[in-house]
Amino acid sequence: MKGNPPESFDAYIGDFPLPVQKILKSIRQTIKKVAPAAQESISYGMPAYKHNGKPMIYFAGYENHIGLYATPSGHATFKKELSNYKQGKGSVQLPLAQPVPLDLIRDIAKFRYEQLGGDKTDFTKGLSAPAKRALESAGIKNVRQLSKFSKENILELHGIGKTAIPILEAALKENGLAFKKIIPVNSSWILITHSP
């Protein structure tokens, strides 16, 4: 990496040679697959994931290795699996001369994500008690499940009022999600099933 610290994941990854970019993109996809609600950012000049406001896992590209930082519990829990790699305090070096262990990175990221609450983020903070009960009765326990519904669907739940929608939209947006979109067709509605 050269120059000033990058402002985004894409900028960070784009600063490396193409073979390393491919590896960094694979690590990013691996983590996002098991930690969909984790927030991406650049911290300490490297790609970082936080969940529920707490550090989850970081990674960084170097000339000869990928640095992995899973804050203490990730390293301690996977001590045996990481024993074949050079380690420092809170860091592991994954040599670029060997295949990067994406399955191990997946397992560590999943462990840290679950340890920090998994998909159980409190997306209902700020809602009235009836609105919380309405979501619970509908089986909507996390933002990923919420994103499978349109605003109109949610407003049909007994106990949900219009004041709940901005709170729920903010929770969805914070996790990179949105309500499903529906469009009118003649006098009926069609649910659009992809996220923005």
Side-chain angles (χ1 to χ4, degrees), residues 30 34 78 102-112:
T30 297
V34 296
F78 291 88
L102 292 175
D103 289 347
L104 179 56
I105 293 170
R106 178 201 63 216
D107 293 345
I108 294 170
K110 184 176 180 182
F111 167 77
R112 289 289 299 139

Side-chain angles (χ1 to χ4, degrees), residues 10 12 14 74 77 107 113 119 121 135 145 164-165 184 189 194:
D10 292 331
Y12 181 91
T77 302
D107 293 345
Y113 182 67
D119 285 336
T121 55
L135 292 169
Q145 291 173 339
I165 297 301
W189 295 88
H194 65 280

Side-chain angles (χ1 to χ4, degrees), residues 119-121 123 135-136 138-146:
D119 285 336
K120 298 176 183 101
T121 55
F123 71 101
L135 292 169
E136 188 177 309
I140 301 170
K141 298 176 183 169
N142 58 56
V143 288
R144 227 180 338 180
Q145 291 173 339
L146 179 64

Side-chain angles (χ1 to χ4, degrees), residues 47-94:
Y49 288 89
K50 288 186 175 182
H51 189 50
N52 288 332
K54 296 180 181 169
M56 186 182 94
I57 191 168
Y58 300 73
F59 64 91
Y62 295 96
E63 186 175 341
N64 297 312
H65 70 277
I66 300 294
L68 186 70
Y69 313 86
T71 60
S73 63
H75 296 283
T77 302
F78 291 88
K79 184 178 180 178
K80 181 180 175 187
E81 294 87 341
L82 295 169
S83 64
N84 294 329
Y85 300 102
K86 184 176 179 179
Q87 297 183 47
K89 186 177 180 183
S91 68
V92 175
Q93 293 182 11
L94 308 172

Side-chain angles (χ1 to χ4, degrees), residues 4-12 41-42:
N4 294 329
E7 295 183 15
S8 69
F9 265 49
D10 292 331
Y12 181 91
S41 65
I42 297 294

